[in-house]
Amino acid sequence: MKQYEANFDGLVGPSHNYAGLSFGNVASLNNANAVSNPKQAAKQGLAKMKALADMGMLQGVLAPQERPDVNALRRLGFTGSDSQVLESAAKQAPEVFLNCCSASSMWTANAATVSPSADTCNGKIHFTPANLTNKFHRSLEPEVTGRILAATFNNSDFFEHHLHLPENDHFGDEGAANHTRLCAGYGEPGLELFTYGRYAFNSSKPAPTKFPARQTIEASQAIARLHGLNEQNTVFMQQNPAVIDQGVFHNDVIAVGNRNVLFYHEQAFLDTQSVLSEIEQKFAAINSNEQLHFIEVPTAKVSINDAVKTYLFNTQIINMPSGEMAIIAPTECQENPAVSAYLAELVTLGTPIKKVHFFDVKQSMQNGGGPACLRLRVALNEREVAAVNPNTWINQGQIDRLNAWVDQHYRDRLSIADLSDPAFLVESRTALDELTQILNLGSVYPFQRV
Ligand code: SUG
């Protein structure tokens, strides 16, 4: 049976804006209050999806969420009609209001953790939406994310959906951004690497001091239990707290894995040597004939500052249908001399990575979201591919429909003040209602369920 790794990219929502909501995420803070262009952001995302589909990759799409989140505002005590809720929230509690307007669900690397059927106890693909407790605006996502995932992977013979972890920072979980998987082939049993930033129940352990560690080991362990993984196919590894304090708010800002390659910065992890030997040992026990490649990038070639600015590690490493590995990198990597020189050298090093493709995802980058943040990876076999909601696969027809949909409904300029305009809420809901028909999702949004 054929085996694939699909990328499910998040469609940028109509409310895409820069509100400076993510303490610890340098780009988000630096671009606070900038005027955004939701139409361009959505089109940049769609262009990346189309390019990967055109390369012969399996590409899917995940729907955005309803924002402004009127229900969240009502829960926080704002009353009256929807327009009155928006108006009074924007006036009385502008920070709270802005948090309820973020289009942050576009970064689907944070939508969930996914374990392929070759790794799990019951031979199904397991999904657990991330609770994203560390940031209020992101903590509003998991319930609807769960519904969107269930409507996308909508066949219980193949897909098992779990409830997100308890909504508390002790179980802070940021999904696939802190999870990667090494394997010989996508359908072969793999080694799942869970990277965490701190211990919730043991304050004597190392932790960052300036910026928050969003993922706890306790959350990672809970996900592994839920997905029916075992000691042989999991490694739990701690992020270096010093790099979190320099803006590496998720592990996918400093490391990425694909098949038999782990690409990481030399300062990415704590106890690097012992963790790498654990990976080597466990990988060999699962895939005895496959050579594992550790590609370690030294600080002398790429500083942490450059890694954070360019998102060199927030790249997608993909296996092209030809079997060659390629890196999908943001154009910021091309524009930075040290990083661009490193990438030029990388493809000559004799590792499986042979090509680099650059993409302009600047609208997302300005909020700290690179190419890898925009996608959720799902390894599937042929039968599982056939069980996915077919409307969520990207092909020429769906790309045309989605581009036309964006053209019709998205603004090309959105300032913070526009978000409280009642006409904007109606516009967004009209767009999302139509989208649920294009993607055949049913009623996943709160406004469709009243
Ligand atoms: O959670 N930015 C997102 C970026 C997420 C990137 N994802 C990965 N690394 N996988 C975050 O910090 C900024 C929103 C604002 O400031 O308006 C934001 O939510």
Side-chain angles (χ1 to χ4, degrees):
M1 210 180 337
K2 281 199 169 163
Q3 313 285 344
Y4 306 87
E5 184 178 81
N7 288 291
F8 280 80
D9 280 39
L11 192 51
V12 177
S15 73
H16 166 64
N17 72 91
Y18 301 116
L21 304 179
S22 282
F23 178 61
N25 168 345
V26 182
S28 153
L29 294 193
N30 287 348
N31 291 299
N33 298 321
V35 171
S36 67
N37 184 338
K39 184 177 277 184
Q40 188 183 43
K43 293 231 154 187
Q44 287 175 345
L46 284 169
K48 174 163 94 73
M49 293 184 225
K50 175 171 163 35
L52 266 80
D54 287 349
M55 286 177 196
M57 305 294 298
L58 258 190
Q59 179 68 54
V61 62
L62 291 175
Q65 304 214 352
E66 177 191 343
R67 295 291 181 272
D69 188 338
V70 179
N71 275 6
L73 291 169
R74 287 190 188 283
R75 258 185 92 185
L76 296 171
F78 297 102
T79 54
S81 65
D82 287 347
S83 343
Q84 284 165 333
V85 166
L86 297 185
E87 196 192 324
S88 48
K91 209 180 281 166
Q92 293 169 36
E95 306 79 17
V96 176
F97 175 69
L98 283 182
N99 273 269
C100 294
C101 291
S102 177
S104 53
S105 67
M106 66 201 266
W107 298 296
T108 52
N110 305 116
T113 307
V114 184
S115 295
S117 52
D119 299 352
T120 61
C121 57
N122 62 355
K124 292 188 188 187
I125 304 182
H126 286 237
F127 297 82
T128 302
N131 60 18
L132 300 167
T133 53
N134 191 258
K135 298 282 175 270
F136 172 61
H137 69 292
R138 303 223 60 182
S139 72
L140 302 174
E141 296 172 32
E143 198 180 324
V144 173
T145 297
R147 279 191 225 135
I148 291 171
L149 287 171
T152 304
F153 302 94
N154 58 347
N155 185 327
S156 57
D157 289 344
F158 296 96
F159 309 121
E160 185 153 335
H161 294 277
H162 300 277
L163 185 63
H164 56 276
L165 297 182
E167 293 149 26
N168 180 281
D169 234 14
H170 280 72
F171 287 97
D173 172 29
E174 301 275 321
N178 293 320
H179 172 256
T180 199
R181 176 173 185 263
L182 302 174
C183 57
Y186 294 122
E188 309 292 320
L191 184 60
E192 301 203 14
L193 311 184
F194 290 85
T195 312
Y196 56 91
R198 70 184 178 98
Y199 288 73
F201 293 96
N202 186 345
S203 53
S204 71
K205 296 281 191 182
T209 53
K210 184 175 167 202
F211 289 148
R214 299 196 197 183
Q215 180 93 29
T216 66
I217 185 170
E218 291 83 355
S220 299
Q221 288 168 333
I223 301 283
R225 277 192 296 273
L226 284 168
H227 292 195
L229 308 178
N230 56 52
E231 220 188 303
Q232 287 71 45
N233 65 5
T234 48
V235 173
F236 296 93
M237 47 209 277
Q238 185 161 1
Q239 247 193 295
N240 178 358
V243 299
I244 297 180
D245 279 340
Q246 290 168 72
V248 180
F249 57 98
H250 287 137
N251 181 59
D252 69 2
V253 175
I254 198 83
V256 54
N258 176 53
R259 299 264 290 244
N260 58 346
V261 170
L262 185 63
F263 178 51
Y264 59 97
H265 192 278
E266 77 169 311
Q267 295 188 55
F269 310 119
L270 260 193
D271 304 326
T272 309
Q273 281 326 309
S274 81
V275 107
L276 293 181
S277 51
E278 183 182 348
I279 293 173
E280 216 156 30
Q281 216 179 334
K282 289 185 172 173
F283 185 85
I286 302 174
N287 305 284
S288 51
N289 296 322
E290 187 75 12
Q291 190 197 346
L292 186 59
H293 296 265
F294 290 133
I295 309 179
E296 184 174 288
V297 182
T299 310
K301 292 205 166 147
V302 177
S303 66
I304 297 293
N305 190 32
D306 278 349
V308 171
K309 269 207 304 238
T310 64
Y311 270 32
L312 167 63
F313 299 94
N314 200 263
T315 41
Q316 297 176 238
I317 307 181
I318 57 169
N319 264 80
M320 312 273 287
S322 64
E324 237 175 31
M325 270 192 210
I327 285 202
I328 305 298
T331 45
E332 281 75 358
C333 290
Q334 220 172 1
E335 291 153 11
N336 177 296
V339 171
S340 139
Y342 177 78
L343 282 171
E345 185 191 333
L346 172 64
V347 292
T348 66
L349 292 180
T351 77
I353 301 173
K354 303 293 181 210
K355 278 210 173 69
V356 186
H357 297 280
F358 295 101
F359 283 86
D360 178 1
V361 288
K362 280 201 168 20
Q363 285 284 329
S364 167
M365 285 288 284
Q366 285 169 192
N367 252 339
C373 299
L374 286 162
R375 64 93 170 90
L376 182 68
R377 293 185 282 186
V378 186
L380 312 118
N381 62 36
E382 266 174 311
R383 292 174 62 215
E384 292 158 346
V385 169
V388 174
N389 170 348
N391 291 41
T392 61
W393 290 120
I394 289 292
N395 50 36
Q396 192 58 54
Q398 282 304 65
I399 274 289
D400 291 344
R401 273 184 278 279
L402 291 170
N403 269 310
W405 172 79
V406 169
D407 282 332
Q408 187 185 348
H409 297 288
Y410 279 50
R411 297 192 183 189
D412 55 15
R413 197 191 142 82
L414 193 68
S415 66
I416 302 283
D418 297 325
L419 293 162
S420 58
D421 176 0
F424 176 70
L425 181 69
V426 174
E427 234 170 83
S428 303
R429 286 180 171 173
T430 307
L432 293 180
D433 199 37
E434 205 177 289
L435 181 69
T436 53
Q437 293 165 42
I438 299 174
L439 301 182
N440 193 21
L441 296 177
S443 301
V444 288
Y445 296 117
F447 76 89
Q448 295 174 311
R449 296 162 79 96
V450 286

